[in-house]
Amino acid sequence: RNSLIPVGRLSPELLIEVFDWLRALWRPENKNIGWINLTHVCRHWRRTALSMSSLWCTIFFNLGRTWTLECLRRSRSVSLELDFDARQCRGGASSLLNDVISAQMGRVRRITIAAREEEVSKFAEDISSVPNARPAPMLQHLSLKVVFGDQNTTPTYQAGRVPFAGQSPRLTHVVLDGFCSLPGGGWGSALTCLVLSGSSRRLTSTEYSELRAVLELASPHLQRLTIHNRLPADTAKDTIHFRNLIVLNVEDKTKHALRFLRRIDIPPTT
Protein backbone atom coordinates (compact mmCIF):
# COMPACT_ATOMS: atom_id res chain seq x y z
CA ARG A 1 0.00 0.00 0.00
CA ASN A 2 2.77 2.47 0.81
CA SER A 3 4.02 2.20 -2.77
CA LEU A 4 0.77 3.77 -3.96
CA ILE A 5 1.32 7.10 -2.16
CA PRO A 6 3.87 9.70 -3.40
CA VAL A 7 6.14 9.53 -0.33
CA GLY A 8 6.39 5.78 -0.80
CA ARG A 9 7.78 6.24 -4.31
CA LEU A 10 10.68 8.53 -3.40
CA SER A 11 14.00 7.45 -4.90
CA PRO A 12 16.59 5.86 -2.57
CA GLU A 13 18.91 8.85 -3.16
CA LEU A 14 16.28 11.33 -1.99
CA LEU A 15 15.25 9.14 0.93
CA ILE A 16 18.83 8.98 2.13
CA GLU A 17 19.02 12.79 2.08
CA VAL A 18 15.82 12.97 4.15
CA PHE A 19 17.00 10.28 6.58
CA ASP A 20 20.34 12.02 7.04
CA TRP A 21 18.58 15.31 7.83
CA LEU A 22 16.21 13.65 10.31
CA ARG A 23 19.09 11.76 11.92
CA ALA A 24 20.50 15.07 13.18
CA LEU A 25 17.12 16.27 14.48
CA TRP A 26 15.60 13.11 15.95
CA ARG A 27 18.27 11.64 18.18
CA PRO A 28 17.73 8.37 20.07
CA GLU A 29 16.93 9.03 23.72
CA ASN A 30 16.64 6.35 26.38
CA LYS A 31 14.00 3.87 25.14
CA ASN A 32 13.06 6.00 22.13
CA ILE A 33 15.09 4.92 19.11
CA GLY A 34 14.53 8.30 17.43
CA TRP A 35 15.15 8.47 13.70
CA ILE A 36 15.63 4.67 13.57
CA ASN A 37 11.82 4.45 13.73
CA LEU A 38 11.90 5.33 10.03
CA THR A 39 13.21 1.85 9.27
CA HIS A 40 9.93 0.42 10.60
CA VAL A 41 7.64 2.32 8.20
CA CYS A 42 7.90 0.01 5.18
CA ARG A 43 10.26 -2.42 3.47
CA HIS A 44 11.40 0.18 0.91
CA TRP A 45 12.46 2.64 3.60
CA ARG A 46 14.11 -0.11 5.65
CA ARG A 47 16.12 -1.47 2.71
CA THR A 48 17.21 2.05 1.79
CA ALA A 49 18.34 2.92 5.33
CA LEU A 50 20.18 -0.36 5.83
CA SER A 51 21.96 -0.01 2.50
CA MET A 52 23.59 3.30 3.52
CA SER A 53 26.26 2.59 6.13
CA SER A 54 26.99 6.30 6.72
CA LEU A 55 23.54 6.70 8.30
CA TRP A 56 24.72 4.46 11.14
CA CYS A 57 28.09 6.11 11.79
CA THR A 58 27.00 8.02 14.95
CA ILE A 59 27.07 5.57 17.83
CA PHE A 60 24.92 6.48 20.83
CA PHE A 61 25.23 4.54 24.06
CA ASN A 62 21.84 5.32 25.58
CA LEU A 63 19.93 2.45 23.96
CA GLY A 64 21.91 -0.36 25.56
CA ARG A 65 24.48 -2.86 24.36
CA THR A 66 22.26 -4.65 21.81
CA TRP A 67 21.41 -1.51 19.83
CA THR A 68 24.96 -0.17 20.07
CA LEU A 69 26.44 -3.35 18.60
CA GLU A 70 23.74 -3.47 15.94
CA CYS A 71 24.52 0.10 14.84
CA LEU A 72 28.19 -0.80 14.68
CA ARG A 73 27.36 -3.76 12.47
CA ARG A 74 25.22 -1.63 10.18
CA SER A 75 27.95 1.03 9.90
CA ARG A 76 30.20 -1.60 8.29
CA SER A 77 33.60 0.06 7.79
CA VAL A 78 32.77 3.80 7.65
CA SER A 79 34.39 6.22 10.09
CA LEU A 80 32.55 6.58 13.40
CA GLU A 81 31.33 9.33 15.71
CA LEU A 82 31.00 8.23 19.35
CA ASP A 83 28.47 10.21 21.41
CA PHE A 84 28.39 9.29 25.10
CA ASP A 85 26.18 11.29 27.51
CA ALA A 86 26.02 9.77 30.97
CA ARG A 87 22.84 11.72 31.72
CA GLN A 88 20.97 9.54 29.23
CA CYS A 89 22.81 6.23 29.58
CA ARG A 90 21.95 3.11 31.52
CA GLY A 91 24.22 1.17 33.85
CA GLY A 92 27.16 -0.49 32.14
CA ALA A 93 27.38 2.12 29.39
CA SER A 94 30.87 3.20 30.45
CA SER A 95 32.28 -0.31 30.02
CA LEU A 96 30.50 -0.55 26.65
CA LEU A 97 32.17 2.71 25.58
CA ASN A 98 35.55 1.29 26.56
CA ASP A 99 34.86 -1.91 24.62
CA VAL A 100 33.91 0.04 21.49
CA ILE A 101 36.96 2.30 21.70
CA SER A 102 39.25 -0.68 22.22
CA ALA A 103 37.84 -2.49 19.19
CA GLN A 104 37.04 0.40 16.83
CA MET A 105 39.48 3.23 17.62
CA GLY A 106 41.14 2.85 14.22
CA ARG A 107 38.02 4.20 12.46
CA VAL A 108 36.74 6.77 14.99
CA ARG A 109 36.75 10.36 13.72
CA ARG A 110 34.91 12.09 16.57
CA ILE A 111 34.50 11.45 20.31
CA THR A 112 32.08 13.45 22.46
CA ILE A 113 31.84 12.50 26.14
CA ALA A 114 29.73 14.18 28.82
CA ALA A 115 29.97 12.41 32.17
CA ARG A 116 30.98 12.57 35.79
CA GLU A 117 34.47 13.80 36.52
CA GLU A 118 35.67 10.34 37.59
CA GLU A 119 34.36 8.80 34.36
CA VAL A 120 35.99 11.48 32.21
CA SER A 121 39.25 11.09 34.14
CA LYS A 122 39.16 7.32 33.69
CA PHE A 123 38.62 7.73 29.95
CA ALA A 124 41.57 10.15 29.72
CA GLU A 125 43.69 7.70 31.68
CA ASP A 126 42.64 4.72 29.56
CA ILE A 127 43.43 6.38 26.23
CA SER A 128 46.87 7.28 27.55
CA SER A 129 47.92 4.13 29.38
CA VAL A 130 49.88 1.17 28.11
CA PRO A 131 48.62 -1.29 26.91
CA ASN A 132 45.13 0.29 26.75
CA ALA A 133 46.10 3.23 24.53
CA ARG A 134 45.12 2.76 20.90
CA PRO A 135 46.35 4.78 17.91
CA ALA A 136 43.66 7.12 16.55
CA PRO A 137 44.62 7.65 12.90
CA MET A 138 41.19 9.01 11.90
CA LEU A 139 40.33 11.07 15.01
CA GLN A 140 39.64 14.74 14.25
CA HIS A 141 37.55 16.00 17.16
CA LEU A 142 37.73 15.20 20.89
CA SER A 143 35.34 16.76 23.42
CA LEU A 144 35.37 15.91 27.14
CA LYS A 145 32.80 17.57 29.40
CA VAL A 146 32.19 17.14 33.12
CA VAL A 147 28.45 17.33 33.78
CA PHE A 148 28.23 15.93 37.32
CA GLY A 149 30.43 15.97 40.37
CA ASP A 150 33.44 18.05 41.30
CA GLN A 151 34.92 19.97 38.40
CA ASN A 152 37.86 20.99 40.56
CA THR A 153 39.35 17.52 40.95
CA THR A 154 42.87 17.12 39.64
CA PRO A 155 43.32 14.00 37.50
CA THR A 156 46.52 12.07 38.06
CA TYR A 157 48.57 10.50 35.30
CA GLN A 158 51.71 8.46 35.31
CA ALA A 159 54.69 10.18 33.75
CA GLY A 160 55.43 9.56 30.10
CA ARG A 161 51.89 8.80 29.00
CA VAL A 162 50.54 10.36 25.84
CA PRO A 163 46.94 10.10 24.52
CA PHE A 164 46.34 7.59 21.73
CA ALA A 165 49.91 6.29 21.97
CA GLY A 166 51.05 9.57 20.40
CA GLN A 167 49.36 8.61 17.12
CA SER A 168 46.50 11.03 16.40
CA PRO A 169 47.83 12.89 13.32
CA ARG A 170 44.43 14.32 12.31
CA LEU A 171 43.29 15.56 15.71
CA THR A 172 42.50 19.23 15.01
CA HIS A 173 39.82 20.11 17.61
CA VAL A 174 40.02 19.51 21.38
CA VAL A 175 37.42 20.78 23.87
CA LEU A 176 37.95 20.26 27.61
CA ASP A 177 34.92 21.61 29.48
CA GLY A 178 35.11 21.30 33.25
CA PHE A 179 38.06 18.98 32.84
CA CYS A 180 41.59 19.98 33.58
CA SER A 181 44.00 18.47 31.11
CA LEU A 182 45.19 15.55 29.07
CA PRO A 183 48.53 13.96 29.95
CA GLY A 184 51.64 14.42 27.93
CA GLY A 185 52.65 17.00 25.36
CA GLY A 186 53.19 14.99 22.21
CA TRP A 187 49.68 14.99 20.78
CA GLY A 188 48.99 18.55 19.58
CA SER A 189 50.90 18.83 16.31
CA ALA A 190 47.76 19.10 14.14
CA LEU A 191 45.58 21.19 16.48
CA THR A 192 43.76 24.14 14.94
CA CYS A 193 41.24 24.67 17.78
CA LEU A 194 41.70 24.27 21.54
CA VAL A 195 39.07 25.14 24.16
CA LEU A 196 39.65 24.98 27.93
CA SER A 197 36.64 26.09 29.96
CA GLY A 198 34.05 25.38 32.59
CA SER A 199 36.01 25.00 35.82
CA SER A 200 36.57 27.33 38.75
CA ARG A 201 39.96 25.75 39.46
CA ARG A 202 42.89 27.17 37.57
CA LEU A 203 45.66 24.96 36.25
CA THR A 204 48.49 23.90 38.51
CA SER A 205 52.03 24.65 37.38
CA THR A 206 52.46 21.04 36.24
CA GLU A 207 49.24 21.12 34.23
CA TYR A 208 50.18 24.44 32.69
CA SER A 209 53.57 23.03 31.73
CA GLU A 210 51.74 20.21 29.90
CA LEU A 211 49.39 22.70 28.27
CA ARG A 212 52.32 24.88 27.26
CA ALA A 213 54.04 21.89 25.64
CA VAL A 214 50.87 21.26 23.61
CA LEU A 215 50.59 24.96 22.67
CA GLU A 216 54.21 25.06 21.54
CA LEU A 217 53.72 21.98 19.40
CA ALA A 218 50.42 23.32 18.00
CA SER A 219 51.53 26.94 17.57
CA PRO A 220 52.32 26.74 13.81
CA HIS A 221 48.76 25.62 12.99
CA LEU A 222 46.54 26.77 15.88
CA GLN A 223 43.79 29.11 14.66
CA ARG A 224 41.40 29.30 17.63
CA LEU A 225 42.33 29.32 21.32
CA THR A 226 39.91 29.70 24.22
CA ILE A 227 40.96 29.64 27.87
CA HIS A 228 38.43 30.40 30.61
CA ASN A 229 39.69 30.63 34.21
CA ARG A 230 42.52 28.20 33.64
CA LEU A 231 45.63 30.35 33.75
CA PRO A 232 48.04 29.72 36.63
CA ALA A 233 49.15 32.46 38.97
CA ASP A 234 52.52 32.43 37.21
CA THR A 235 53.53 31.49 33.68
CA ALA A 236 56.78 30.63 31.95
CA LYS A 237 58.79 33.56 30.64
CA ASP A 238 59.49 32.17 27.18
CA THR A 239 57.29 33.50 24.41
CA ILE A 240 55.04 31.23 22.35
CA HIS A 241 54.59 32.35 18.73
CA PHE A 242 51.18 31.76 17.14
CA ARG A 243 51.67 32.52 13.45
CA ASN A 244 48.17 31.64 12.25
CA LEU A 245 45.96 32.45 15.24
CA ILE A 246 42.66 33.96 14.11
CA VAL A 247 40.59 33.99 17.32
CA LEU A 248 41.86 34.32 20.89
CA ASN A 249 39.42 34.27 23.81
CA VAL A 250 40.89 34.58 27.31
CA GLU A 251 38.67 35.08 30.38
CA ASP A 252 40.42 35.28 33.73
CA LYS A 253 41.52 37.71 36.40
CA THR A 254 43.05 40.75 34.74
CA LYS A 255 46.56 40.21 36.13
CA HIS A 256 46.64 36.58 35.02
CA ALA A 257 45.29 37.38 31.56
CA LEU A 258 47.77 40.22 31.04
CA ARG A 259 50.66 38.03 32.17
CA PHE A 260 49.63 35.35 29.68
CA LEU A 261 49.18 37.86 26.85
CA ARG A 262 52.71 39.16 27.43
CA ARG A 263 54.03 35.62 26.96
CA ILE A 264 52.51 35.04 23.52
CA ASP A 265 53.17 36.50 20.09
CA ILE A 266 50.10 36.71 17.83
CA PRO A 267 49.38 38.25 14.42
CA PRO A 268 48.00 41.81 14.49
CA THR A 269 44.83 40.55 12.80
CA THR A 270 43.96 38.15 15.64
Side-chain angles (χ1 to χ4, degrees), residues 3-259:
S3 63
L4 300 178
I5 60 177
V7 71
R9 297 196 299 270
L10 292 176
S11 67
E13 293 78 14
L14 185 55
L15 272 179
I16 288 171
E17 290 290 332
V18 173
F19 292 169
D20 198 35
W21 181 71
L22 285 174
R23 186 170 64 100
L25 297 177
W26 194 9
R27 293 162 56 95
E29 294 183 0
N30 297 323
K31 295 182 179 180
N32 185 344
I33 60 175
W35 77 273
I36 302 174
N37 281 294
L38 297 173
T39 65
H40 300 163
V41 172
C42 65
R43 283 179 293 179
H44 174 46
W45 284 24
R46 182 174 180 81
R47 283 196 303 265
T48 301
L50 294 179
S51 69
M52 195 62 184
S53 55
S54 62
L55 289 175
W56 306 93
C57 68
T58 301
I59 307 300
F60 299 96
F61 294 83
N62 52 7
L63 297 178
R65 176 175 290 271
T66 299
W67 261 115
T68 298
L69 297 180
E70 179 61 20
C71 289
L72 282 171
R73 186 186 68 81
R74 294 178 181 183
S75 70
R76 299 181 182 89
S77 60
V78 299
S79 56
L80 299 175
E81 298 182 0
L82 306 184
D83 191 322
F84 178 89
D85 190 334
R87 294 167 293 188
Q88 299 180 5
C89 292
R90 309 169 188 175
S94 294
S95 62
L96 177 58
L97 171 65
N98 291 335
D99 291 345
V100 171
I101 287 177
S102 178
Q104 306 291 340
M105 194 65 243
R107 64 181 180 118
V108 174
R109 71 167 180 260
R110 185 184 187 102
I111 298 176
T112 302
I113 294 178
R116 295 180 182 276
E117 197 280 335
E118 58 268 23
E119 291 178 298
V120 178
S121 291
K122 185 179 185 307
F123 169 79
E125 177 71 11
D126 287 344
I127 64 173
S128 308
S129 63
V130 179
N132 294 333
R134 296 288 187 274
M138 303 295 293
L139 188 65
Q140 300 173 14
H141 192 290
L142 174 65
S143 176
L144 304 180
K145 181 178 181 178
V146 174
V147 291
F148 300 121
D150 184 5
Q151 294 189 351
N152 299 321
T153 304
T154 304
T156 57
Y157 308 113
Q158 294 184 12
R161 292 187 175 182
V162 180
F164 309 112
Q167 300 180 52
S168 52
R170 300 185 183 184
L171 183 57
T172 58
H173 287 66
V174 172
V175 178
L176 304 180
D177 187 350
F179 187 66
C180 298
S181 64
L182 288 173
W187 54 271
S189 59
L191 277 185
T192 60
C193 178
L194 177 62
V195 177
L196 302 175
S197 63
S199 174
S200 60
R201 183 184 70 76
R202 63 186 65 258
L203 297 179
T204 65
S205 57
T206 300
E207 292 166 343
Y208 181 73
S209 295
E210 293 177 343
L211 170 62
R212 183 178 175 84
V214 172
L215 291 177
E216 289 175 341
L217 191 60
S219 59
H221 309 290
L222 199 64
Q223 298 177 8
R224 295 176 180 270
L225 175 61
T226 297
I227 303 178
H228 291 176
N229 300 317
R230 291 304 185 83
L231 297 174
D234 192 16
T235 57
K237 295 183 179 181
D238 295 337
T239 300
I240 303 177
H241 302 274
F242 296 101
R243 307 186 196 117
N244 296 297
L245 198 66
I246 299 173
V247 176
L248 174 63
N249 186 343
V250 178
E251 295 184 15
D252 208 312
K253 290 183 178 180
T254 302
K255 62 179 181 180
H256 296 151
L258 289 175
R259 186 181 294 113

